[in-house]
Amino acid sequence: MTARIRQESTKAMAQWKPLAGLLIVVCSILGLVSPALAQDEGGQSIVTQLRYKDEAGEQVPVEGAIVTVEGVGEATTDAEGKLSIPVPETGEYVVTLDPASLPEGIALKDADRAQLTVLVEANKDKRVLFALVTGEGAAAAAAAADSSGIDGRRIAQLTVEGLKQGLYLAMAAIGLSLIYGTTGLVNFAHAEMVTFGGLMTYFWNFYGLAGMIGFLAPLPAPFGDGTNLVFAIILGMITGGLLGYILDRVMFRTMRRQGISLIAQMVITIGLSILLRYIFVYFFGGSPRSFRQYTAQRAMSIGPVELTPKDLIAMGISVGVLIAIGLLLTMTRMGKAMRAVSDNRDLAESSGIDVQKVISTVWIFGASAAALGGAFFALDQTKWDFGFRILLLIFAAVTLGGLGTAYGALLGAIVIGLVINLSTLFLDPELKNMVALLAMVLVLMFRPQGLLGKAERIG
Amino acid sequence: MIHGLERSTHMSQRMLKLLGMLLAITMVAAACSGSDSTDTVDAEDAPAATDAPEEEAMEEEEAMEEEEAMEEEEAMEEEEAMEEEEAMEENVEGELVIGTILPVTGDLAFLGPAEVAGAELAAADINAAGGVFGKDIVLIQGDSGDTTTDTANVEVDRLLAEGADAIMGAASSAVSKTVIDKITGAGVIQFSPANTSPDFTTYDDNGLYFRTAPSDLLQGRVLANAIIEQGNATVSVLFRQESYGTGLADALKANLEDAGATVDEFIGYAVDTESFDAEVDSIVAAGSDAVVIIGFAESANIVTTMHERGVGPTSDTNVWGVDGNAGLQGELSDPTILNGMKQTIPSVDLGSISDFIERLEEEMGGPEETAYGAETYDSVIIVALAAAVANSDGGKAIAAEINEVTKNGTKCTSFAECIELVKAGEDIDYDGLGGPYEFVDAGEPAAASFRIDTYGDDGADAALAEYTFAS
């Protein structure tokens, strides 16, 4: 069986030789050929180049080191640190570097890697590598090995990343919490409002105000060509708010009038979520999208951590918006009205509050915040099902922080963001979202009303 | 009234929490179980083409395999002859129906256009040369989606219901795994132009799974050799935690370590990860000479984050990609950040098939990623030729001939040329656009050519492409 495969592969090789030969000729003409490739025709070799990095980070070749291939022979590295030992046939070989032949002060990075067992293919150079370090380098490598895992810099960096993710998540989550607080509705389609924000920002960024209408496209920005990302985000937020208003006006107000139960409404939002998602994929396609501007900013160093300017600004805006929403709820008449509707809708209505207007306002605010959050997440990349992928985290944030409370959503989201990122210090990154959900379950076991929820509202 | 309202709020509040927890648990459970959603298909769903006599023949064949090797070979030949006769009697009037599940949407959507166009061109060429059994073949294109959707499963049901004899796809190994049991269980051929996961070599597929793409055991070796050649002593690997990613990453790691390099960080990330900050921070902390990204479209997000943190392709770090992220420049609004990145990809010298590439680009409507276009074209041709040799459109009858069509016989390089030889009763060896193939018994190429690309300012720079061969 194995023999047969090998036979076939050698046959295949034979057919490829003319092509390979042609390639080498072409490469030689272009001056691109490496010496290794040129040797291909004459059988197979074990090739290595011995180098180490000096203090300046320059690669320095090691001359005169002795490498032995068991059963074949030995060779000494040349001035470039290179050596090549031809081997007669394919198969496994044991390659050994003689550490004693290395110059003074230079050692193998890993002392037990002086001997390697390698598989050599037909007509192909097998490259092997012996990692070398200078005296100081060896000490540094050892120190690095000791401190790998947890160090102060990583904790600081991951905390900042956690805060960032938490703040964006809070923007996405606060609407869900507010809508729940005012109407009692659990809106599964909220995730799609987040996606909508990211995708609409992308749309404004690339097509401008009228870019999709053929004859207007050549006009200068912002009418024809795409608008700058800053304006695109504002437009995205407005469009997001509009979607929220329309959804409430057309669907949910009607359903409230009809007296459809909250559970039925919730199931309807699940359907709405699927519908919206596939509308997105229809219009935007399945591949990920990134914005025109500010996509690949270099991070700047702030103390021990690195953060891109765009994320720093977006984090600042998030904090501002979230505090403003919190103040709005506690300080203004509209906020009072919202809380009144939340506490007792019938009583609020009979005391002269325009309940429908309050609910509309909540939807507009919630959807705009979600859209803004979506746009911030999309600073990396966005996709038609992006919101759906973070839906669970949004729910976790809202539930953890305390349902229906604005500051609760903020706190919950930040806790989730921090747990996700800091967990990677100890656990495989693939488990990071699971750890966040585990944290939610644990907190709720001991504090069922959530971190900031009012205990008396629960039975 | 008021009391009732409050109670309902309580209830829904509790419901919400319960629901949240339940959702969390089910999602985690779903993530763990992954791709076991395939179910066996009822006998009714299987196309009429596969029938009892043939199956009996196969069973007999299996029984005979236990006998001595010499006898077995003779017996096999007899069996094949018998099968051919039977097939001829029952199925000369059939038409060959080929379905596809290729990535029109999803993580691998950037590979979709070339693969879809490759299949179209193959069908056009086959029908222009008179088709199979004197009839035009029927090509039904379908979408595969990705692992986050159920698209492939639904499309396979549709294709099986429409009587597909062979299904080409999917591109993603993980997606192929979700449908392989359903397709091969229905006696239909699954033939992927792009699956590279080593798992398929040994998968129990009733002898019905084939691929023109080489196993990642080969790519892992080529990639490791190239990374060592570049002089990288320490390497970090970021890979998708699924069939393709883990297969290639494991092969790469084993080869790197055998050759003397050290793998600092070996990070698998969940397929639906939305932010790579933490992963990239590990890479920054490791400070390796080279970083390898084994991913699909999300690689664009990873590379962007790496660039932001100063370990991207334009920095001192050598960044390597693989076939899964070929065409990455299309996902980025600023492809210049890829400058200097390198990647390995199973491919013949594109210069040698420039006519085909031109046709492919015409079919796609513009220059897009061409990876796996030739392989898809060849897959369709091989199935059609095997059907012509078997003179049957039954899945098992075709499958029995596929390996032989790619080796041992008179060489031919196009369907028109090969079909004439088949009609003349000769044993053929189809050498396709994507390589000579020479399938091994597991139904995959024994050897393959790989291209090593280097990115310039706007995608892979064709002038810098190098080719290497692995077997």
Side-chain angles (χ1 to χ4, degrees), chain A residues 13 15-16 113 124 129 154 164-165 180 186 291 297-299 306 310 383 403 430 432 448 457, chain B residues 10 13 16-17 107 221 234 241 257 259 274-275 277 279 282 307-309 333 411 436 468-469:
Chain A
M13 283 295 307
Q15 290 162 12
W16 279 86
R113 302 299 294 274
K124 220 166 146 24
L129 190 140
R154 286 208 67 197
K164 179 181 100 180
Q165 199 177 354
Y180 176 80
V186 183
F291 295 139
Q297 272 183 340
R298 286 306 272 270
E306 287 185 324
K310 62 178 178 186
K383 215 179 148 184
L403 287 160
E430 59 177 312
K432 62 184 185 179
R457 295 180 83 189
Chain B
H10 287 171
Q13 212 158 9
L16 181 76
K17 273 178 193 162
D107 282 341
R221 211 181 295 159
T234 53
Q241 190 67 264
E257 288 180 345
E274 69 290 332
S275 156
D277 295 325
E279 286 84 348
S282 303
H307 177 84
E308 287 171 358
R309 296 294 309 278
S333 54
K411 285 200 187 307
T468 180
F469 201 78

CSV table of all heavy atoms in Angstrom, one decimal, chain A residues 13 15-16 113 124 129 154 164-165 180 186 291 297-299 306 310 383 403 430 432 448 457, chain B residues 10 13 16-17 107 221 234 241 257 259 274-275 277 279 282 307-309 333 411 436 468-469:
chain,number,residue,atom,x,y,z
A,13,MET,N,5.9,12.8,-10.0
A,13,MET,CA,7.0,13.7,-10.0
A,13,MET,C,7.7,13.7,-11.4
A,13,MET,O,8.0,14.7,-11.9
A,13,MET,CB,8.1,13.1,-9.0
A,13,MET,CG,7.9,13.4,-7.6
A,13,MET,SD,7.9,15.1,-7.2
A,13,MET,CE,9.4,15.6,-7.9
A,15,GLN,N,6.4,13.3,-14.2
A,15,GLN,CA,5.6,14.1,-15.1
A,15,GLN,C,5.8,15.6,-14.9
A,15,GLN,O,5.6,16.4,-15.8
A,15,GLN,CB,4.1,13.8,-15.0
A,15,GLN,CG,3.7,12.5,-15.5
A,15,GLN,CD,2.4,12.1,-14.9
A,15,GLN,OE1,1.7,12.9,-14.4
A,15,GLN,NE2,2.1,10.8,-15.1
A,16,TRP,N,6.1,15.9,-13.7
A,16,TRP,CA,6.2,17.3,-13.4
A,16,TRP,C,7.6,17.9,-13.6
A,16,TRP,O,7.8,19.1,-13.6
A,16,TRP,CB,5.9,17.5,-11.9
A,16,TRP,CG,4.4,17.5,-11.8
A,16,TRP,CD1,3.6,16.5,-11.6
A,16,TRP,CD2,3.6,18.7,-11.9
A,16,TRP,NE1,2.3,16.9,-11.6
A,16,TRP,CE2,2.2,18.2,-11.8
A,16,TRP,CE3,3.8,20.0,-12.0
A,16,TRP,CZ2,1.2,19.1,-11.8
A,16,TRP,CZ3,2.7,20.9,-12.1
A,16,TRP,CH2,1.5,20.4,-12.0
A,113,ARG,N,17.6,20.3,21.6
A,113,ARG,CA,17.2,20.3,20.2
A,113,ARG,C,18.4,20.2,19.3
A,113,ARG,O,18.4,20.6,18.1
A,113,ARG,CB,16.4,21.5,19.8
A,113,ARG,CG,15.2,21.7,20.7
A,113,ARG,CD,14.2,20.6,20.5
A,113,ARG,NE,13.6,20.5,19.1
A,113,ARG,CZ,12.6,21.2,18.7
A,113,ARG,NH1,12.0,22.0,19.5
A,113,ARG,NH2,12.1,21.1,17.5
A,124,LYS,N,14.0,17.1,-3.2
A,124,LYS,CA,13.6,18.3,-2.6
A,124,LYS,C,14.5,18.6,-1.4
A,124,LYS,O,14.9,17.6,-0.7
A,124,LYS,CB,12.2,18.1,-2.0
A,124,LYS,CG,11.4,19.4,-2.2
A,124,LYS,CD,9.9,19.1,-2.1
A,124,LYS,CE,9.3,20.3,-1.4
A,124,LYS,NZ,9.9,21.6,-1.6
A,129,LEU,N,16.5,23.6,11.2
A,129,LEU,CA,16.9,24.8,11.8
A,129,LEU,C,17.4,24.5,13.2
A,129,LEU,O,16.8,23.7,13.9
A,129,LEU,CB,15.6,25.7,11.9
A,129,LEU,CG,15.8,27.1,12.3
A,129,LEU,CD1,14.8,27.9,11.5
A,129,LEU,CD2,15.4,27.2,13.8
A,154,ARG,N,0.3,42.5,30.2
A,154,ARG,CA,-0.8,41.8,29.6
A,154,ARG,C,-2.1,42.1,30.3
A,154,ARG,O,-3.1,42.2,29.7
A,154,ARG,CB,-0.5,40.3,29.5
A,154,ARG,CG,0.5,39.9,28.5
A,154,ARG,CD,0.3,38.5,28.0
A,154,ARG,NE,-1.0,38.4,27.3
A,154,ARG,CZ,-1.6,37.3,27.0
A,154,ARG,NH1,-1.1,36.2,27.4
A,154,ARG,NH2,-2.7,37.3,26.3
A,164,LYS,N,-13.1,48.2,26.4
A,164,LYS,CA,-13.5,48.6,25.1
A,164,LYS,C,-14.7,47.8,24.7
A,164,LYS,O,-15.8,48.3,24.3
A,164,LYS,CB,-12.4,48.4,24.1
A,164,LYS,CG,-12.7,48.8,22.7
A,164,LYS,CD,-11.5,48.6,21.8
A,164,LYS,CE,-11.6,47.3,21.1
A,164,LYS,NZ,-10.5,47.0,20.2
A,165,GLN,N,-14.5,46.5,24.7
A,165,GLN,CA,-15.6,45.6,24.3
A,165,GLN,C,-16.8,45.8,25.2
A,165,GLN,O,-18.0,45.8,24.7
A,165,GLN,CB,-15.1,44.1,24.4
A,165,GLN,CG,-16.0,43.2,23.5
A,165,GLN,CD,-15.5,41.7,23.6
A,165,GLN,OE1,-14.4,41.4,24.1
A,165,GLN,NE2,-16.2,40.9,23.0
A,180,TYR,N,-37.3,46.8,27.4
A,180,TYR,CA,-37.8,45.9,28.3
A,180,TYR,C,-38.4,46.6,29.5
A,180,TYR,O,-39.5,46.3,30.0
A,180,TYR,CB,-36.8,44.9,28.8
A,180,TYR,CG,-37.3,44.0,29.9
A,180,TYR,CD1,-38.1,42.9,29.5
A,180,TYR,CD2,-37.1,44.2,31.2
A,180,TYR,CE1,-38.7,42.1,30.5
A,180,TYR,CE2,-37.7,43.4,32.2
A,180,TYR,CZ,-38.5,42.4,31.8
A,180,TYR,OH,-39.0,41.6,32.8
A,186,VAL,N,-39.3,41.5,25.5
A,186,VAL,CA,-37.9,41.0,25.3
A,186,VAL,C,-37.7,40.9,23.8
A,186,VAL,O,-38.3,40.1,23.1
A,186,VAL,CB,-37.7,39.6,25.9
A,186,VAL,CG1,-36.3,39.2,25.7
A,186,VAL,CG2,-38.1,39.6,27.3
A,291,PHE,N,-14.9,49.5,6.9
A,291,PHE,CA,-15.1,50.9,6.5
A,291,PHE,C,-14.0,51.4,5.6
A,291,PHE,O,-12.9,50.8,5.5
A,291,PHE,CB,-15.3,51.8,7.7
A,291,PHE,CG,-16.5,51.5,8.5
A,291,PHE,CD1,-16.4,51.5,9.9
A,291,PHE,CD2,-17.7,51.2,7.9
A,291,PHE,CE1,-17.5,51.2,10.6
A,291,PHE,CE2,-18.8,50.9,8.7
A,291,PHE,CZ,-18.7,50.9,10.0
A,297,GLN,N,-5.5,51.7,11.6
A,297,GLN,CA,-4.7,52.7,12.4
A,297,GLN,C,-3.7,51.9,13.2
A,297,GLN,O,-4.0,50.9,13.7
A,297,GLN,CB,-5.7,53.4,13.3
A,297,GLN,CG,-6.3,54.6,12.7
A,297,GLN,CD,-7.1,55.4,13.7
A,297,GLN,OE1,-7.5,54.8,14.7
A,297,GLN,NE2,-7.4,56.7,13.4
A,298,ARG,N,-2.5,52.5,13.3
A,298,ARG,CA,-1.6,52.0,14.3
A,298,ARG,C,-1.9,52.4,15.7
A,298,ARG,O,-2.3,53.5,15.9
A,298,ARG,CB,-0.1,52.5,13.9
A,298,ARG,CG,0.4,51.8,12.7
A,298,ARG,CD,0.4,50.3,12.7
A,298,ARG,NE,1.6,49.8,13.4
A,298,ARG,CZ,2.6,49.4,12.7
A,298,ARG,NH1,2.7,49.6,11.4
A,298,ARG,NH2,3.7,48.9,13.3
A,299,ALA,N,-1.8,51.4,16.6
A,299,ALA,CA,-2.2,51.7,18.0
A,299,ALA,C,-1.1,52.6,18.6
A,299,ALA,O,0.1,52.6,18.2
A,299,ALA,CB,-2.2,50.4,18.8
A,306,GLU,N,-1.6,49.6,24.6
A,306,GLU,CA,-1.7,50.1,23.3
A,306,GLU,C,-3.1,50.2,22.9
A,306,GLU,O,-3.9,49.2,23.1
A,306,GLU,CB,-0.9,49.2,22.3
A,306,GLU,CG,0.6,49.3,22.5
A,306,GLU,CD,1.3,48.5,21.4
A,306,GLU,OE1,0.8,47.4,21.1
A,306,GLU,OE2,2.3,48.9,20.9
A,310,LYS,N,-8.9,55.5,17.1
A,310,LYS,CA,-10.4,55.4,16.8
A,310,LYS,C,-11.1,54.7,18.0
A,310,LYS,O,-12.2,55.1,18.3
A,310,LYS,CB,-10.6,54.6,15.5
A,310,LYS,CG,-10.1,53.2,15.5
A,310,LYS,CD,-10.4,52.5,14.2
A,310,LYS,CE,-9.8,51.1,14.3
A,310,LYS,NZ,-9.9,50.3,13.1
A,383,LYS,N,-20.6,42.2,9.5
A,383,LYS,CA,-21.1,41.2,8.7
A,383,LYS,C,-22.6,41.1,8.9
A,383,LYS,O,-23.1,41.5,9.9
A,383,LYS,CB,-20.4,39.9,9.2
A,383,LYS,CG,-20.1,38.9,8.1
A,383,LYS,CD,-19.4,37.7,8.7
A,383,LYS,CE,-19.8,36.4,8.0
A,383,LYS,NZ,-19.2,35.2,8.6
A,403,LEU,N,-32.2,43.9,35.0
A,403,LEU,CA,-33.1,44.1,33.9
A,403,LEU,C,-33.8,45.5,34.0
A,403,LEU,O,-34.2,45.9,35.1
A,403,LEU,CB,-34.2,43.1,33.8
A,403,LEU,CG,-33.7,41.7,33.4
A,403,LEU,CD1,-34.7,40.6,33.8
A,403,LEU,CD2,-33.6,41.8,31.9
A,430,GLU,N,-10.6,30.2,22.7
A,430,GLU,CA,-11.9,29.7,22.1
A,430,GLU,C,-13.0,29.6,23.2
A,430,GLU,O,-14.1,29.5,22.9
A,430,GLU,CB,-11.7,28.4,21.4
A,430,GLU,CG,-11.2,27.3,22.4
A,430,GLU,CD,-11.0,25.9,21.7
A,430,GLU,OE1,-11.9,25.5,21.0
A,430,GLU,OE2,-10.0,25.3,21.8
A,432,LYS,N,-13.5,31.9,25.5
A,432,LYS,CA,-13.7,33.1,26.2
A,432,LYS,C,-15.1,33.6,26.4
A,432,LYS,O,-15.5,34.0,27.4
A,432,LYS,CB,-12.9,34.2,25.6
A,432,LYS,CG,-13.2,34.6,24.1
A,432,LYS,CD,-12.2,35.6,23.6
A,432,LYS,CE,-12.6,36.0,22.2
A,432,LYS,NZ,-11.7,37.0,21.7
A,448,PRO,N,-30.2,37.1,42.1
A,448,PRO,CA,-31.1,36.9,41.0
A,448,PRO,C,-31.6,38.1,40.3
A,448,PRO,O,-31.9,38.1,39.1
A,448,PRO,CB,-32.3,36.1,41.6
A,448,PRO,CG,-31.8,35.7,43.0
A,448,PRO,CD,-30.7,36.6,43.4
A,457,ARG,N,-38.4,44.1,43.3
A,457,ARG,CA,-39.2,43.9,42.0
A,457,ARG,C,-39.4,42.4,41.8
A,457,ARG,O,-40.2,42.0,41.0
A,457,ARG,CB,-38.5,44.5,40.8
A,457,ARG,CG,-38.5,46.0,41.0
A,457,ARG,CD,-37.9,46.7,39.8
A,457,ARG,NE,-38.8,46.8,38.7
A,457,ARG,CZ,-38.4,47.2,37.5
A,457,ARG,NH1,-37.2,47.4,37.2
A,457,ARG,NH2,-39.3,47.4,36.6
B,10,HIS,N,-43.5,40.3,36.7
B,10,HIS,CA,-42.6,39.4,37.4
B,10,HIS,C,-42.3,38.1,36.6
B,10,HIS,O,-41.2,37.7,36.5
B,10,HIS,CB,-43.3,38.9,38.7
B,10,HIS,CG,-43.3,40.0,39.8
B,10,HIS,ND1,-44.0,39.8,40.9
B,10,HIS,CD2,-42.7,41.2,39.8
B,10,HIS,CE1,-43.9,40.9,41.7
B,10,HIS,NE2,-43.1,41.7,41.0
B,13,GLN,N,-40.2,38.7,33.7
B,13,GLN,CA,-38.8,38.9,34.2
B,13,GLN,C,-38.1,37.6,34.5
B,13,GLN,O,-37.0,37.4,34.1
B,13,GLN,CB,-38.9,39.8,35.4
B,13,GLN,CG,-37.7,40.7,35.6
B,13,GLN,CD,-38.1,41.8,36.5
B,13,GLN,OE1,-39.1,41.8,37.1
B,13,GLN,NE2,-37.2,42.8,36.5
B,16,LEU,N,-37.5,35.7,31.3
B,16,LEU,CA,-36.4,36.2,30.6
B,16,LEU,C,-35.1,35.6,31.1
B,16,LEU,O,-34.2,35.2,30.3
B,16,LEU,CB,-36.3,37.7,30.7
B,16,LEU,CG,-35.2,38.4,29.9
B,16,LEU,CD1,-35.5,38.4,28.4
B,16,LEU,CD2,-34.9,39.8,30.4
B,17,LYS,N,-35.0,35.6,32.4
B,17,LYS,CA,-33.7,35.1,33.0
B,17,LYS,C,-33.6,33.6,32.7
B,17,LYS,O,-32.5,33.1,32.3
B,17,LYS,CB,-33.8,35.3,34.5
B,17,LYS,CG,-33.2,36.6,34.9
B,17,LYS,CD,-33.3,36.8,36.3
B,17,LYS,CE,-33.0,38.3,36.6
B,17,LYS,NZ,-33.5,38.7,37.9
B,107,ASP,N,-18.3,32.3,5.1
B,107,ASP,CA,-16.9,32.6,5.3
B,107,ASP,C,-16.0,32.4,4.1
B,107,ASP,O,-14.9,33.0,4.1
B,107,ASP,CB,-16.4,31.6,6.4
B,107,ASP,CG,-16.8,32.0,7.8
B,107,ASP,OD1,-17.2,33.2,7.9
B,107,ASP,OD2,-16.8,31.2,8.7
B,221,ARG,N,3.6,20.5,5.4
B,221,ARG,CA,5.0,20.3,5.1
B,221,ARG,C,5.6,21.4,4.3
B,221,ARG,O,6.6,21.9,4.6
B,221,ARG,CB,5.1,18.9,4.4
B,221,ARG,CG,6.4,18.2,4.7
B,221,ARG,CD,6.5,16.9,4.0
B,221,ARG,NE,5.4,16.0,4.3
B,221,ARG,CZ,5.1,15.0,3.5
B,221,ARG,NH1,5.6,14.8,2.3
B,221,ARG,NH2,4.1,14.1,3.9
B,234,THR,N,11.3,31.0,15.7
B,234,THR,CA,10.1,30.9,16.6
B,234,THR,C,8.8,31.3,15.8
B,234,THR,O,8.9,32.2,15.0
B,234,THR,CB,10.2,31.8,17.8
B,234,THR,OG1,10.5,33.1,17.3
B,234,THR,CG2,11.3,31.3,18.7
B,241,GLN,N,-10.8,26.9,15.0
B,241,GLN,CA,-11.0,25.7,15.7
B,241,GLN,C,-12.1,24.9,15.0
B,241,GLN,O,-13.2,24.8,15.5
B,241,GLN,CB,-11.4,26.0,17.1
B,241,GLN,CG,-11.4,24.9,18.1
B,241,GLN,CD,-10.1,24.3,18.4
B,241,GLN,OE1,-9.7,23.3,17.8
B,241,GLN,NE2,-9.3,24.9,19.3
B,257,GLU,N,8.3,21.7,14.3
B,257,GLU,CA,9.1,21.2,15.4
B,257,GLU,C,10.1,20.1,15.0
B,257,GLU,O,11.2,20.1,15.5
B,257,GLU,CB,8.1,20.7,16.5
B,257,GLU,CG,7.4,21.9,17.2
B,257,GLU,CD,6.5,21.5,18.3
B,257,GLU,OE1,6.1,20.3,18.4
B,257,GLU,OE2,6.1,22.4,19.1
B,259,ALA,N,11.6,20.1,12.3
B,259,ALA,CA,12.7,20.8,11.6
B,259,ALA,C,13.5,21.7,12.5
B,259,ALA,O,14.4,22.3,12.1
B,259,ALA,CB,12.2,21.5,10.4
B,274,GLU,N,-15.9,37.4,17.5
B,274,GLU,CA,-16.2,38.6,16.9
B,274,GLU,C,-15.1,39.7,17.1
B,274,GLU,O,-15.0,40.7,16.5
B,274,GLU,CB,-17.5,39.2,17.4
B,274,GLU,CG,-17.6,39.6,18.8
B,274,GLU,CD,-17.5,38.5,19.8
B,274,GLU,OE1,-18.0,37.4,19.5
B,274,GLU,OE2,-17.0,38.7,20.9
B,275,SER,N,-14.2,39.4,18.0
B,275,SER,CA,-13.1,40.3,18.3
B,275,SER,C,-11.8,39.5,18.6
B,275,SER,O,-11.9,38.6,19.4
B,275,SER,CB,-13.5,41.2,19.4
B,275,SER,OG,-12.3,41.8,20.0
B,277,ASP,N,-8.9,40.8,19.8
B,277,ASP,CA,-7.9,41.6,20.6
B,277,ASP,C,-7.1,40.7,21.5
B,277,ASP,O,-5.9,40.9,21.6
B,277,ASP,CB,-8.7,42.7,21.4
B,277,ASP,CG,-9.4,43.7,20.5
B,277,ASP,OD1,-8.8,44.0,19.5
B,277,ASP,OD2,-10.5,44.2,20.9
B,279,GLU,N,-6.5,37.5,21.4
B,279,GLU,CA,-5.7,36.5,20.7
B,279,GLU,C,-4.4,37.2,20.2
B,279,GLU,O,-3.3,36.7,20.3
B,279,GLU,CB,-6.4,35.9,19.5
B,279,GLU,CG,-7.5,34.9,19.9
B,279,GLU,CD,-8.8,35.5,20.3
B,279,GLU,OE1,-8.9,36.7,20.5
B,279,GLU,OE2,-9.8,34.7,20.4
B,282,SER,N,-1.8,38.0,22.8
B,282,SER,CA,-0.9,36.8,23.1
B,282,SER,C,0.2,36.8,22.0
B,282,SER,O,1.3,36.5,22.4
B,282,SER,CB,-1.7,35.5,23.0
B,282,SER,OG,-2.8,35.5,23.9
B,307,HIS,N,-2.0,44.5,12.6
B,307,HIS,CA,-1.4,45.7,12.0
B,307,HIS,C,-1.5,46.8,13.1
B,307,HIS,O,-0.5,47.5,13.3
B,307,HIS,CB,-2.1,46.1,10.8
B,307,HIS,CG,-1.6,47.4,10.2
B,307,HIS,ND1,-0.5,47.4,9.4
B,307,HIS,CD2,-2.0,48.7,10.3
B,307,HIS,CE1,-0.3,48.7,9.0
B,307,HIS,NE2,-1.2,49.4,9.6
B,308,GLU,N,-2.7,46.9,13.7
B,308,GLU,CA,-2.9,48.0,14.7
B,308,GLU,C,-1.9,47.8,15.9
B,308,GLU,O,-1.4,48.8,16.4
B,308,GLU,CB,-4.3,47.9,15.2
B,308,GLU,CG,-5.3,48.5,14.2
B,308,GLU,CD,-6.8,48.2,14.6
B,308,GLU,OE1,-7.0,47.6,15.6
B,308,GLU,OE2,-7.7,48.6,13.8
B,309,ARG,N,-1.6,46.6,16.2
B,309,ARG,CA,-0.8,46.3,17.4
B,309,ARG,C,0.7,46.2,17.0
B,309,ARG,O,1.5,45.8,17.8
B,309,ARG,CB,-1.2,45.0,18.1
B,309,ARG,CG,-2.6,45.1,18.7
B,309,ARG,CD,-2.7,46.1,19.8
B,309,ARG,NE,-1.7,45.9,20.8
B,309,ARG,CZ,-1.7,45.0,21.8
B,309,ARG,NH1,-2.7,44.3,21.9
B,309,ARG,NH2,-0.7,44.9,22.6
B,333,SER,N,-10.4,47.2,3.2
B,333,SER,CA,-10.5,48.5,2.5
B,333,SER,C,-9.1,49.1,2.2
B,333,SER,O,-9.0,49.9,1.3
B,333,SER,CB,-11.4,49.5,3.2
B,333,SER,OG,-10.9,49.7,4.5
B,411,LYS,N,-2.7,9.0,-21.8
B,411,LYS,CA,-2.9,10.4,-21.2
B,411,LYS,C,-3.8,11.2,-22.1
B,411,LYS,O,-3.7,11.1,-23.3
B,411,LYS,CB,-1.5,11.0,-21.1
B,411,LYS,CG,-0.8,10.5,-19.9
B,411,LYS,CD,0.3,11.5,-19.5
B,411,LYS,CE,1.2,10.8,-18.4
B,411,LYS,NZ,0.4,10.3,-17.3
B,436,PRO,N,-1.8,16.5,-12.4
B,436,PRO,CA,-2.0,15.2,-12.9
B,436,PRO,C,-2.9,14.3,-12.1
B,436,PRO,O,-3.3,13.2,-12.5
B,436,PRO,CB,-0.5,14.6,-13.0
B,436,PRO,CG,0.2,15.4,-11.9
B,436,PRO,CD,-0.5,16.7,-11.7
B,468,THR,N,6.2,25.0,-5.8
B,468,THR,CA,7.0,23.9,-5.2
B,468,THR,C,6.1,22.7,-5.2
B,468,THR,O,4.9,22.8,-5.4
B,468,THR,CB,7.4,24.2,-3.8
B,468,THR,OG1,8.1,23.1,-3.2
B,468,THR,CG2,6.3,24.5,-2.8
B,469,PHE,N,6.7,21.5,-5.1
B,469,PHE,CA,6.0,20.3,-5.3
B,469,PHE,C,6.1,19.4,-4.0
B,469,PHE,O,7.2,19.4,-3.4
B,469,PHE,CB,6.6,19.5,-6.5
B,469,PHE,CG,5.6,18.5,-7.1
B,469,PHE,CD1,4.6,19.0,-7.9
B,469,PHE,CD2,5.8,17.2,-6.8
B,469,PHE,CE1,3.7,18.0,-8.4
B,469,PHE,CE2,4.9,16.3,-7.3
B,469,PHE,CZ,3.9,16.7,-8.1
